[in-house]
């Protein structure tokens, strides 16, 4: 048990330890559901630096890299970096080279202030949907506070 607890502690707040001897697994199942939601959610997780890198473009332009990765983990893996959208207003991308990305303030979709303190979600404007199996990779600068 001590060795397992040590390994689990390496995962920070994502590491959870429950006994199989419990009478009720609802807390464990709730944690699993929360972790899955956070993993597939478009919400930006953690202490993201919210400094606007382009004040001339409406909305918040974060210091982030967004890429489409095809054939992840294979010798044929390819990565295509997306460009930030040129915005008409904070919530509307203008005519732009597609696909492009932008961030939307989304209190309803990203309500958990602990997991998503910025309440921002990634939005992608596509000319067409990416091929099936494409993985979206997002990497953002973190806040120093």
């Amino acid at each position: 048990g001590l060795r397992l607890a040590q390994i689990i502690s390496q995962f920070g707040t994502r590491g959870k330890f429950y006994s199989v001897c419990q009478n009720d697994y609802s807390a464990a199942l709730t944690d699993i559901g929360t972790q899955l939601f956070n993993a597939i959610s478009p919400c930006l997780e953690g202490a993201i630096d919210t400094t606007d890198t382009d004040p001339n473009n409406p909305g918040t332009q974060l210091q982030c890299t967004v890429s489409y990765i095809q054939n992840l983990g294979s010798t044929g893996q390819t990565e295509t970096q997306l460009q930030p959208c040129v915005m008409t207003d904070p919530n509307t991308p203008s005519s732009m080279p597609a696909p492009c990305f932008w961030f939307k303030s989304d209190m309803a979709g990203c309500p958990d202030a602990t997991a998503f303190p910025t309440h921002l979600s990634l939005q992608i404007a596509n000319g067409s949907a990416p091929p099936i199996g494409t993985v979206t990779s997002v990497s953002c600068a973190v806040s120093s506070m």
Side-chain angles (χ1 to χ4, degrees):
L2 293 174
R3 290 182 190 150
L4 287 175
Q6 183 179 12
I7 290 170
I8 291 168
S9 72
Q10 300 300 309
F11 291 94
T13 59
R14 291 185 175 148
K16 306 291 181 189
F17 186 84
Y18 293 97
S19 170
V20 295
C21 299
Q22 296 176 167
N23 292 330
D24 180 11
Y25 294 116
S26 62
L29 293 172
T30 298
D31 280 347
I32 291 168
T34 300
Q35 293 297 328
L36 288 172
F37 172 79
N38 292 352
I40 63 171
S41 168
C43 302
L44 297 182
E45 190 174 357
I48 304 297
D49 182 354
T50 57
T51 304
D52 192 350
T53 62
D54 185 0
N56 295 321
N57 195 8
T60 303
Q61 311 307 315
L62 303 178
Q63 186 178 338
C64 296
T65 301
V66 178
S67 300
Y68 280 158
I69 301 174
Q70 294 176 320
N71 305 310
L72 182 66
S74 74
T75 56
Q77 178 174 316
T78 59
E79 183 170 350
T80 304
Q81 189 169 332
L82 280 62
Q83 297 301 310
C85 294
V86 175
M87 303 297 289
T88 302
D89 62 51
N91 294 309
T92 310
S94 68
S95 57
M96 65 287 172
C100 65
F101 69 92
W102 55 286
F103 300 99
K104 173 177 117 175
S105 179
D106 191 358
M107 292 294 287
C110 308
D112 184 346
T114 303
F116 315 121
T118 63
H119 302 286
L120 292 171
S121 66
L122 171 68
Q123 305 294 308
I124 297 179
N126 284 313
S128 61
I132 293 174
T134 300
V135 174
T136 304
S137 171
V138 181
S139 177
C140 296
V142 295
S143 175
S144 60
M145 292 182 177

Short mmCIF file of all heavy atoms in Angstrom, two decimals, residues 33-92:
data_model
loop_
_atom_site.label_atom_id
_atom_site.label_comp_id
_atom_site.label_asym_id
_atom_site.label_seq_id
_atom_site.Cartn_x
_atom_site.Cartn_y
_atom_site.Cartn_z
N GLY A 33 -15.08 9.93 -13.43
CA GLY A 33 -15.86 10.74 -14.36
C GLY A 33 -15.30 12.14 -14.52
O GLY A 33 -15.21 12.68 -15.63
N THR A 34 -14.91 12.75 -13.41
CA THR A 34 -14.33 14.11 -13.45
C THR A 34 -13.04 14.11 -14.23
O THR A 34 -12.80 15.00 -15.06
CB THR A 34 -14.10 14.63 -12.01
OG1 THR A 34 -15.36 14.68 -11.34
CG2 THR A 34 -13.47 16.01 -12.02
N GLN A 35 -12.17 13.13 -14.00
CA GLN A 35 -10.90 13.05 -14.71
C GLN A 35 -11.12 12.87 -16.21
O GLN A 35 -10.44 13.48 -17.03
CB GLN A 35 -10.02 11.93 -14.16
CG GLN A 35 -9.54 12.15 -12.74
CD GLN A 35 -8.64 13.36 -12.60
OE1 GLN A 35 -7.90 13.72 -13.50
NE2 GLN A 35 -8.72 14.01 -11.46
N LEU A 36 -12.08 12.02 -16.58
CA LEU A 36 -12.38 11.81 -18.01
C LEU A 36 -12.92 13.08 -18.64
O LEU A 36 -12.53 13.46 -19.75
CB LEU A 36 -13.37 10.66 -18.18
CG LEU A 36 -12.82 9.27 -17.93
CD1 LEU A 36 -13.94 8.24 -17.94
CD2 LEU A 36 -11.76 8.92 -18.96
N PHE A 37 -13.84 13.78 -17.93
CA PHE A 37 -14.37 15.03 -18.46
C PHE A 37 -13.25 16.04 -18.68
O PHE A 37 -13.17 16.67 -19.74
CB PHE A 37 -15.42 15.62 -17.52
CG PHE A 37 -15.85 17.00 -17.93
CD1 PHE A 37 -16.77 17.17 -18.95
CD2 PHE A 37 -15.31 18.13 -17.32
CE1 PHE A 37 -17.16 18.45 -19.36
CE2 PHE A 37 -15.69 19.41 -17.72
CZ PHE A 37 -16.62 19.57 -18.74
N ASN A 38 -12.38 16.21 -17.69
CA ASN A 38 -11.29 17.17 -17.81
C ASN A 38 -10.34 16.80 -18.94
O ASN A 38 -9.80 17.68 -19.62
CB ASN A 38 -10.52 17.29 -16.49
CG ASN A 38 -11.34 17.94 -15.40
OD1 ASN A 38 -12.43 18.44 -15.63
ND2 ASN A 38 -10.81 17.91 -14.19
N ALA A 39 -10.14 15.51 -19.18
CA ALA A 39 -9.22 15.07 -20.23
C ALA A 39 -9.75 15.36 -21.63
O ALA A 39 -8.98 15.65 -22.54
CB ALA A 39 -8.93 13.58 -20.08
N ILE A 40 -11.06 15.29 -21.82
CA ILE A 40 -11.61 15.49 -23.17
C ILE A 40 -12.27 16.86 -23.34
O ILE A 40 -12.73 17.20 -24.41
CB ILE A 40 -12.61 14.38 -23.55
CG1 ILE A 40 -13.81 14.38 -22.61
CG2 ILE A 40 -11.93 13.03 -23.59
CD1 ILE A 40 -14.93 13.46 -23.04
N SER A 41 -12.30 17.63 -22.28
CA SER A 41 -12.94 18.94 -22.31
C SER A 41 -12.10 19.94 -23.11
O SER A 41 -10.88 19.90 -23.09
CB SER A 41 -13.08 19.45 -20.86
OG SER A 41 -13.44 20.80 -20.85
N PRO A 42 -12.75 20.89 -23.78
CA PRO A 42 -11.99 21.94 -24.46
C PRO A 42 -11.51 23.03 -23.49
O PRO A 42 -10.85 23.97 -23.89
CB PRO A 42 -13.00 22.51 -25.46
CG PRO A 42 -14.32 22.29 -24.80
CD PRO A 42 -14.18 20.99 -24.05
N CYS A 43 -11.87 22.89 -22.21
CA CYS A 43 -11.50 23.90 -21.20
C CYS A 43 -10.00 23.85 -20.92
O CYS A 43 -9.41 22.77 -20.86
CB CYS A 43 -12.26 23.66 -19.91
SG CYS A 43 -14.06 23.70 -20.12
N LEU A 44 -9.40 25.03 -20.74
CA LEU A 44 -7.97 25.10 -20.43
C LEU A 44 -7.79 24.82 -18.95
O LEU A 44 -8.31 25.53 -18.10
CB LEU A 44 -7.42 26.47 -20.79
CG LEU A 44 -7.48 26.84 -22.27
CD1 LEU A 44 -6.86 28.21 -22.49
CD2 LEU A 44 -6.80 25.80 -23.13
N GLU A 45 -7.02 23.79 -18.67
CA GLU A 45 -6.83 23.33 -17.30
C GLU A 45 -5.57 23.94 -16.70
O GLU A 45 -4.55 24.06 -17.36
CB GLU A 45 -6.71 21.80 -17.32
CG GLU A 45 -6.75 21.16 -15.97
CD GLU A 45 -6.78 19.64 -16.05
OE1 GLU A 45 -6.82 19.08 -17.16
OE2 GLU A 45 -6.74 19.03 -14.98
N GLY A 46 -5.67 24.35 -15.44
CA GLY A 46 -4.50 24.81 -14.71
C GLY A 46 -4.28 26.31 -14.79
O GLY A 46 -5.13 27.07 -15.25
N ALA A 47 -3.12 26.72 -14.30
CA ALA A 47 -2.78 28.14 -14.17
C ALA A 47 -2.20 28.68 -15.48
O ALA A 47 -1.00 28.91 -15.62
CB ALA A 47 -1.77 28.33 -13.03
N ILE A 48 -3.07 28.91 -16.45
CA ILE A 48 -2.66 29.43 -17.76
C ILE A 48 -2.38 30.92 -17.65
O ILE A 48 -3.12 31.66 -17.01
CB ILE A 48 -3.77 29.19 -18.81
CG1 ILE A 48 -4.13 27.70 -18.90
CG2 ILE A 48 -3.39 29.74 -20.17
CD1 ILE A 48 -3.04 26.80 -19.35
N ASP A 49 -1.30 31.37 -18.30
CA ASP A 49 -0.99 32.80 -18.36
C ASP A 49 -2.00 33.47 -19.28
O ASP A 49 -2.09 33.14 -20.46
CB ASP A 49 0.43 32.99 -18.89
CG ASP A 49 0.88 34.44 -18.94
OD1 ASP A 49 0.06 35.35 -18.66
OD2 ASP A 49 2.06 34.68 -19.26
N THR A 50 -2.79 34.39 -18.75
CA THR A 50 -3.86 35.03 -19.54
C THR A 50 -3.43 36.36 -20.15
O THR A 50 -4.27 37.15 -20.59
CB THR A 50 -5.11 35.25 -18.67
OG1 THR A 50 -4.77 36.02 -17.54
CG2 THR A 50 -5.72 33.92 -18.25
N THR A 51 -2.13 36.62 -20.22
CA THR A 51 -1.64 37.83 -20.87
C THR A 51 -2.05 37.81 -22.34
O THR A 51 -1.81 36.83 -23.04
CB THR A 51 -0.10 37.92 -20.76
OG1 THR A 51 0.26 37.86 -19.38
CG2 THR A 51 0.42 39.20 -21.39
N ASP A 52 -2.66 38.90 -22.80
CA ASP A 52 -3.09 39.01 -24.19
C ASP A 52 -1.86 39.31 -25.05
O ASP A 52 -1.24 40.36 -24.92
CB ASP A 52 -4.14 40.11 -24.32
CG ASP A 52 -4.84 40.10 -25.66
OD1 ASP A 52 -4.41 39.37 -26.58
OD2 ASP A 52 -5.83 40.84 -25.80
N THR A 53 -1.52 38.37 -25.94
CA THR A 53 -0.32 38.53 -26.77
C THR A 53 -0.56 39.38 -28.01
O THR A 53 0.39 39.76 -28.68
CB THR A 53 0.22 37.16 -27.21
OG1 THR A 53 -0.77 36.49 -27.99
CG2 THR A 53 0.61 36.31 -26.01
N ASP A 54 -1.83 39.68 -28.32
CA ASP A 54 -2.14 40.50 -29.50
C ASP A 54 -3.34 41.39 -29.19
O ASP A 54 -4.47 41.09 -29.58
CB ASP A 54 -2.43 39.60 -30.71
CG ASP A 54 -2.64 40.40 -31.99
OD1 ASP A 54 -2.57 41.65 -31.96
OD2 ASP A 54 -2.89 39.76 -33.04
N PRO A 55 -3.11 42.53 -28.49
CA PRO A 55 -4.23 43.40 -28.11
C PRO A 55 -4.99 43.98 -29.30
O PRO A 55 -6.12 44.44 -29.15
CB PRO A 55 -3.58 44.51 -27.30
CG PRO A 55 -2.16 44.16 -27.12
CD PRO A 55 -1.84 42.99 -28.01
N ASN A 56 -4.41 43.95 -30.50
CA ASN A 56 -5.09 44.48 -31.69
C ASN A 56 -6.10 43.49 -32.27
O ASN A 56 -6.90 43.84 -33.12
CB ASN A 56 -4.08 44.87 -32.76
CG ASN A 56 -3.20 46.02 -32.30
OD1 ASN A 56 -3.68 46.95 -31.64
ND2 ASN A 56 -1.91 45.94 -32.59
N ASN A 57 -6.05 42.25 -31.82
CA ASN A 57 -6.98 41.22 -32.27
C ASN A 57 -8.02 41.05 -31.15
O ASN A 57 -7.66 40.74 -30.01
CB ASN A 57 -6.23 39.91 -32.52
CG ASN A 57 -7.03 38.90 -33.32
OD1 ASN A 57 -8.10 39.19 -33.84
ND2 ASN A 57 -6.47 37.71 -33.42
N PRO A 58 -9.32 41.25 -31.42
CA PRO A 58 -10.33 41.16 -30.36
C PRO A 58 -10.30 39.83 -29.63
O PRO A 58 -9.96 38.80 -30.21
CB PRO A 58 -11.65 41.33 -31.11
CG PRO A 58 -11.30 42.07 -32.35
CD PRO A 58 -9.91 41.60 -32.71
N GLY A 59 -10.65 39.86 -28.36
CA GLY A 59 -10.63 38.65 -27.54
C GLY A 59 -9.27 38.49 -26.87
O GLY A 59 -8.39 39.34 -27.01
N THR A 60 -9.11 37.41 -26.15
CA THR A 60 -7.86 37.13 -25.47
C THR A 60 -7.02 36.20 -26.33
O THR A 60 -7.44 35.09 -26.63
CB THR A 60 -8.12 36.48 -24.10
OG1 THR A 60 -8.96 37.35 -23.34
CG2 THR A 60 -6.83 36.25 -23.35
N GLN A 61 -5.86 36.66 -26.72
CA GLN A 61 -4.93 35.87 -27.53
C GLN A 61 -3.83 35.36 -26.59
O GLN A 61 -2.97 36.11 -26.17
CB GLN A 61 -4.33 36.72 -28.66
CG GLN A 61 -5.34 37.51 -29.46
CD GLN A 61 -6.47 36.67 -30.01
OE1 GLN A 61 -6.24 35.59 -30.53
NE2 GLN A 61 -7.69 37.15 -29.89
N LEU A 62 -3.92 34.10 -26.23
CA LEU A 62 -2.99 33.51 -25.28
C LEU A 62 -1.73 33.01 -25.97
O LEU A 62 -1.71 32.77 -27.18
CB LEU A 62 -3.65 32.33 -24.56
CG LEU A 62 -4.94 32.63 -23.82
CD1 LEU A 62 -5.49 31.35 -23.22
CD2 LEU A 62 -4.72 33.67 -22.74
N GLN A 63 -0.68 32.86 -25.17
CA GLN A 63 0.57 32.31 -25.68
C GLN A 63 0.45 30.78 -25.68
O GLN A 63 0.88 30.10 -24.75
CB GLN A 63 1.74 32.77 -24.81
CG GLN A 63 3.08 32.36 -25.36
CD GLN A 63 4.22 32.89 -24.50
OE1 GLN A 63 4.06 33.85 -23.76
NE2 GLN A 63 5.36 32.26 -24.61
N CYS A 64 -0.18 30.26 -26.73
CA CYS A 64 -0.44 28.83 -26.85
C CYS A 64 -0.06 28.34 -28.23
O CYS A 64 -0.10 29.09 -29.20
CB CYS A 64 -1.93 28.53 -26.62
SG CYS A 64 -2.53 28.91 -24.98
N THR A 65 0.26 27.06 -28.29
CA THR A 65 0.48 26.37 -29.55
C THR A 65 -0.59 25.29 -29.66
O THR A 65 -0.78 24.52 -28.72
CB THR A 65 1.88 25.72 -29.58
OG1 THR A 65 2.86 26.73 -29.40
CG2 THR A 65 2.13 25.00 -30.88
N VAL A 66 -1.28 25.26 -30.78
CA VAL A 66 -2.32 24.26 -31.02
C VAL A 66 -1.96 23.52 -32.30
O VAL A 66 -1.65 24.15 -33.32
CB VAL A 66 -3.71 24.92 -31.14
CG1 VAL A 66 -4.78 23.88 -31.44
CG2 VAL A 66 -4.05 25.70 -29.87
N SER A 67 -1.97 22.20 -32.22
CA SER A 67 -1.59 21.38 -33.38
C SER A 67 -2.56 20.23 -33.57
O SER A 67 -3.15 19.74 -32.61
CB SER A 67 -0.19 20.79 -33.18
OG SER A 67 0.78 21.78 -33.03
N TYR A 68 -2.68 19.79 -34.81
CA TYR A 68 -3.36 18.54 -35.14
C TYR A 68 -2.26 17.50 -35.33
O TYR A 68 -1.29 17.74 -36.06
CB TYR A 68 -4.14 18.65 -36.44
CG TYR A 68 -5.49 19.32 -36.34
CD1 TYR A 68 -6.08 19.88 -37.47
CD2 TYR A 68 -6.20 19.37 -35.15
CE1 TYR A 68 -7.32 20.48 -37.41
CE2 TYR A 68 -7.44 19.97 -35.08
CZ TYR A 68 -7.99 20.52 -36.21
OH TYR A 68 -9.23 21.11 -36.14
N ILE A 69 -2.41 16.35 -34.68
CA ILE A 69 -1.44 15.27 -34.83
C ILE A 69 -2.19 14.08 -35.42
O ILE A 69 -3.22 13.65 -34.90
CB ILE A 69 -0.80 14.88 -33.48
CG1 ILE A 69 -0.10 16.10 -32.87
CG2 ILE A 69 0.17 13.72 -33.67
CD1 ILE A 69 0.43 15.88 -31.48
N GLN A 70 -1.64 13.57 -36.52
CA GLN A 70 -2.22 12.40 -37.16
C GLN A 70 -1.26 11.23 -36.97
O GLN A 70 -0.04 11.41 -36.95
CB GLN A 70 -2.47 12.65 -38.64
CG GLN A 70 -3.54 13.70 -38.86
CD GLN A 70 -3.71 14.03 -40.32
OE1 GLN A 70 -2.74 14.13 -41.05
NE2 GLN A 70 -4.96 14.19 -40.74
N ASN A 71 -1.82 10.05 -36.85
CA ASN A 71 -1.04 8.81 -36.68
C ASN A 71 -0.14 8.88 -35.45
O ASN A 71 1.03 8.52 -35.50
CB ASN A 71 -0.22 8.50 -37.93
CG ASN A 71 -1.08 8.44 -39.17
OD1 ASN A 71 -2.09 7.77 -39.19
ND2 ASN A 71 -0.67 9.17 -40.21
N LEU A 72 -0.70 9.36 -34.35
CA LEU A 72 0.05 9.55 -33.11
C LEU A 72 0.79 8.29 -32.70
O LEU A 72 0.22 7.21 -32.65
CB LEU A 72 -0.90 9.99 -31.99
CG LEU A 72 -0.27 10.28 -30.63
CD1 LEU A 72 0.64 11.50 -30.72
CD2 LEU A 72 -1.33 10.50 -29.58
N GLY A 73 2.07 8.44 -32.42
CA GLY A 73 2.89 7.34 -31.93
C GLY A 73 3.41 6.38 -32.98
O GLY A 73 4.10 5.43 -32.66
N SER A 74 3.08 6.63 -34.24
CA SER A 74 3.56 5.74 -35.30
C SER A 74 4.71 6.41 -36.04
O SER A 74 4.98 7.59 -35.86
CB SER A 74 2.44 5.41 -36.28
OG SER A 74 2.17 6.52 -37.11
N THR A 75 5.37 5.66 -36.90
CA THR A 75 6.46 6.23 -37.70
C THR A 75 5.92 7.22 -38.73
O THR A 75 6.66 8.05 -39.22
CB THR A 75 7.25 5.13 -38.42
OG1 THR A 75 6.35 4.35 -39.21
CG2 THR A 75 7.99 4.24 -37.42
N GLY A 76 4.62 7.15 -39.03
CA GLY A 76 4.00 8.08 -39.97
C GLY A 76 3.35 9.27 -39.30
O GLY A 76 2.54 9.97 -39.90
N GLN A 77 3.71 9.54 -38.04
CA GLN A 77 3.11 10.66 -37.31
C GLN A 77 3.43 11.98 -38.00
O GLN A 77 4.55 12.23 -38.38
CB GLN A 77 3.63 10.69 -35.88
CG GLN A 77 3.07 11.87 -35.07
CD GLN A 77 3.48 11.82 -33.61
OE1 GLN A 77 3.43 10.77 -32.99
NE2 GLN A 77 3.88 12.97 -33.08
N THR A 78 2.38 12.81 -38.15
CA THR A 78 2.56 14.16 -38.69
C THR A 78 1.88 15.15 -37.76
O THR A 78 0.89 14.83 -37.11
CB THR A 78 1.96 14.31 -40.10
OG1 THR A 78 0.57 14.02 -40.05
CG2 THR A 78 2.64 13.39 -41.10
N GLU A 79 2.43 16.35 -37.71
CA GLU A 79 1.87 17.40 -36.86
C GLU A 79 1.70 18.66 -37.70
O GLU A 79 2.62 19.09 -38.38
CB GLU A 79 2.78 17.66 -35.67
CG GLU A 79 2.23 18.68 -34.70
CD GLU A 79 3.03 18.76 -33.40
OE1 GLU A 79 3.90 17.91 -33.17
OE2 GLU A 79 2.76 19.70 -32.63
N THR A 80 0.51 19.24 -37.62
CA THR A 80 0.21 20.48 -38.34
C THR A 80 -0.16 21.54 -37.31
O THR A 80 -1.14 21.39 -36.58
CB THR A 80 -0.97 20.29 -39.30
OG1 THR A 80 -0.68 19.21 -40.19
CG2 THR A 80 -1.25 21.56 -40.09
N GLN A 81 0.65 22.59 -37.25
CA GLN A 81 0.38 23.67 -36.28
C GLN A 81 -0.69 24.60 -36.83
O GLN A 81 -0.63 25.04 -37.97
CB GLN A 81 1.66 24.45 -35.99
CG GLN A 81 1.50 25.43 -34.86
CD GLN A 81 2.83 26.01 -34.40
OE1 GLN A 81 3.86 25.40 -34.52
NE2 GLN A 81 2.77 27.21 -33.89
N LEU A 82 -1.70 24.88 -36.00
CA LEU A 82 -2.78 25.78 -36.38
C LEU A 82 -2.38 27.22 -36.04
O LEU A 82 -1.63 27.44 -35.10
CB LEU A 82 -4.07 25.42 -35.65
CG LEU A 82 -4.88 24.25 -36.18
CD1 LEU A 82 -4.13 22.95 -36.14
CD2 LEU A 82 -6.18 24.13 -35.41
N GLN A 83 -2.91 28.15 -36.79
CA GLN A 83 -2.66 29.56 -36.55
C GLN A 83 -3.80 30.15 -35.72
O GLN A 83 -4.94 29.69 -35.82
CB GLN A 83 -2.55 30.32 -37.88
CG GLN A 83 -1.38 29.87 -38.74
CD GLN A 83 -0.06 30.04 -38.03
OE1 GLN A 83 0.24 31.10 -37.49
NE2 GLN A 83 0.73 28.97 -37.99
N PRO A 84 -3.52 31.19 -34.93
CA PRO A 84 -4.62 31.87 -34.22
C PRO A 84 -5.57 32.51 -35.23
O PRO A 84 -5.14 33.00 -36.27
CB PRO A 84 -3.92 32.94 -33.39
CG PRO A 84 -2.47 32.60 -33.40
CD PRO A 84 -2.23 31.77 -34.62
N CYS A 85 -6.85 32.50 -34.93
CA CYS A 85 -7.84 33.14 -35.80
C CYS A 85 -7.72 34.65 -35.71
O CYS A 85 -7.42 35.21 -34.67
CB CYS A 85 -9.26 32.75 -35.38
SG CYS A 85 -9.67 31.02 -35.59
N VAL A 86 -7.99 35.31 -36.81
CA VAL A 86 -8.20 36.76 -36.81
C VAL A 86 -9.65 36.93 -36.42
O VAL A 86 -10.54 36.31 -37.01
CB VAL A 86 -7.90 37.35 -38.20
CG1 VAL A 86 -8.24 38.83 -38.24
CG2 VAL A 86 -6.45 37.09 -38.59
N MET A 87 -9.90 37.76 -35.42
CA MET A 87 -11.24 37.85 -34.83
C MET A 87 -11.95 39.13 -35.26
O MET A 87 -11.35 40.20 -35.34
CB MET A 87 -11.14 37.81 -33.31
CG MET A 87 -10.43 36.58 -32.76
SD MET A 87 -11.27 35.03 -33.14
CE MET A 87 -12.70 35.18 -32.08
N THR A 88 -13.27 39.02 -35.50
CA THR A 88 -14.12 40.17 -35.75
C THR A 88 -14.49 40.82 -34.42
O THR A 88 -14.50 42.03 -34.28
CB THR A 88 -15.40 39.73 -36.49
OG1 THR A 88 -15.03 39.09 -37.69
CG2 THR A 88 -16.30 40.91 -36.79
N ASP A 89 -14.83 39.97 -33.43
CA ASP A 89 -15.09 40.39 -32.06
C ASP A 89 -14.62 39.23 -31.17
O ASP A 89 -14.17 38.21 -31.69
CB ASP A 89 -16.57 40.74 -31.84
CG ASP A 89 -17.52 39.59 -32.08
OD1 ASP A 89 -17.29 38.49 -31.51
OD2 ASP A 89 -18.50 39.77 -32.82
N PRO A 90 -14.69 39.35 -29.84
CA PRO A 90 -14.13 38.29 -28.98
C PRO A 90 -14.69 36.89 -29.20
O PRO A 90 -14.07 35.92 -28.80
CB PRO A 90 -14.44 38.78 -27.57
CG PRO A 90 -14.52 40.26 -27.69
CD PRO A 90 -15.12 40.51 -29.04
N ASN A 91 -15.86 36.77 -29.84
CA ASN A 91 -16.46 35.46 -30.03
C ASN A 91 -16.68 35.05 -31.48
O ASN A 91 -17.33 34.05 -31.75
CB ASN A 91 -17.80 35.39 -29.28
CG ASN A 91 -17.60 35.47 -27.78
OD1 ASN A 91 -16.79 34.73 -27.22
ND2 ASN A 91 -18.30 36.37 -27.14
N THR A 92 -16.17 35.85 -32.42
CA THR A 92 -16.43 35.56 -33.83
C THR A 92 -15.16 35.63 -34.66
O THR A 92 -14.59 36.72 -34.85
CB THR A 92 -17.45 36.57 -34.42
OG1 THR A 92 -18.57 36.65 -33.55
CG2 THR A 92 -17.87 36.17 -35.81
#
